[in-house]
Amino acid sequence: MIAARLLMVASLALGPAAWLSTAWAGPPPGGEKSGTIVAKQGQAKTLRELIAMYDSTSCKECHEDIHRDWMESPHARSVFGTGRTAATFQTAITNGLMTWPFSGVHGPGDVKVEHFQGCTKCHLPQLADATDAVAKELATTLFAWREAVNKGDAAARSKHEATLGQLGITCLVCHNRNAIVHKWTDGYPQAGVVYGSESGEHAADDYPLAAKSPIMHEAIACGQCHGLGPNLELDNPTQCATLYGSYLWSYVADGGDKTCQQCHMSASGLGHKILSYRDPKMAEMALDFEVTARAVNWRDGTRYAPRAVVAVAMTNRAGHGIPDG
Amino acid sequence: MGRSTTMGRGPYEKSGLVSDTSLPPGRTVEERFEVPFPATVAKVGGKDETQVTDDTLEITVELWYLPYGTRDTTPFKWREAKRTVRLVPFE
């Protein structure tokens, strides 16, 4: 905050003309790369350390409703999912990485952060803040979980599910780590700061400051993980969610003007309980469905069997193609 | 993997689309179905003639989402509409 105040003074000294010449109305929300959570704490060396680094259980004390809503959204368990996500992570290793001659992976022990990034760049972006030892631990946990499921070993299964269940897109992923996308422009998200709509003090001891995220209400905040198409920057591209691409190139291109947050968090009334069609309100918002049916027959019954002609018109009211992925 | 006419389902084996059956945003997609009335074919004056055995059809149209392509894995019914159609004889 000291640095921020100094900046304000400097800008004022330049006079009103300087303010008018930029659209920028305040200090940058972020700061130096050396001020991020991972830079201050160092890379996580175990899964436990990684979970602790972005752990959001302390937020529950004051943001109880938001915490409860978030727990019901898939973001809270973005590696385990409903079990299907964890199973596919494991298949990506056995049927993917282990079968490809140049991946360098022969078993779970060879899996590095780089191998997981084809999934974790969206499902667990904070894995980038961990060492390869953590990737290996994650891979072996996934294998041990799958084995426990296959063997019907309930104790081992629930132990591994508990670990995998703590890996998620926590409050601190959205409100700190991933709250700034343009880090050279806006600075790197700083340790001890929660990013939201306003700057000022924040009541939590370990997060004493709040700062305005330039993207918290913009589609890109969600779009950064919801996919554009194949992830071509990887040595071996993957493709899962492509919804942000559909939002940009179809919905916005056709004149759509709502953000993800406006539909999913405000209009739906769901707030942080961000869900898809399995929530009745989202299902209702999803599409118009019109059915007309009429009978048709010919006087000359030799040519044509009487039939019903059914016409179905479906109009997707979401801000992207549905379903996705 | 973005080659040939073959698609993969796993995110690790996918890098493109060969076919996309999702509904695009804001556009109306129309489907038309023709459902024959139950009928038998009888000879009338030496010619085949279709004779309807029931002049009323109860039609149910369901829109399903099949995340894994079949009804075996977490199928979900998005919409349902029921319509009754009746053949009106020409008099």
Side-chain angles (χ1 to χ4, degrees), chain B residues 61-82:
Chain B
V61 184
E62 296 177 348
L63 177 64
W64 283 82
Y65 173 34
L66 310 175
Y68 283 68
T70 69
R71 292 213 185 174
D72 303 336
T73 316
T74 59
F76 191 89
K77 198 200 300 180
W78 268 7
R79 290 288 188 274
E80 180 181 289
K82 287 191 184 347

Side-chain angles (χ1 to χ4, degrees), chain A residues 205-251:
Chain A
D205 294 343
D206 44 350
Y207 285 85
L209 293 176
K212 182 175 155 63
S213 155
I215 56 159
M216 200 51 67
H217 306 290
E218 308 284 350
I220 195 174
C222 314
Q224 63 179 310
C225 305
H226 278 266
L228 294 165
N231 300 290
L232 294 169
E233 79 281 12
L234 301 164
D235 280 359
N236 215 70
T238 60
Q239 180 178 322
C240 185
T242 59
L243 187 147
Y244 188 45
S246 172
Y247 172 85
L248 293 177
W249 299 310
S250 195
Y251 176 72

Side-chain angles (χ1 to χ4, degrees), chain A residues 133-186:
Chain A
V134 179
K136 181 171 161 179
E137 199 186 337
L138 175 56
T140 47
T141 307
L142 286 162
F143 273 66
W145 166 72
R146 199 65 183 266
E147 201 187 310
V149 172
N150 292 342
K151 279 195 188 151
D153 181 344
R157 179 179 173 170
S158 64
K159 181 183 137 212
H160 297 309
E161 282 182 11
T163 307
L164 297 170
Q166 287 176 71
L167 296 167
I169 297 159
T170 63
C171 316
L172 287 172
V173 171
C174 287
H175 289 290
N176 183 293
R177 191 187 184 284
N178 285 39
I180 297 176
V181 170
H182 300 89
K183 299 171 190 72
W184 294 346
T185 316
D186 301 317

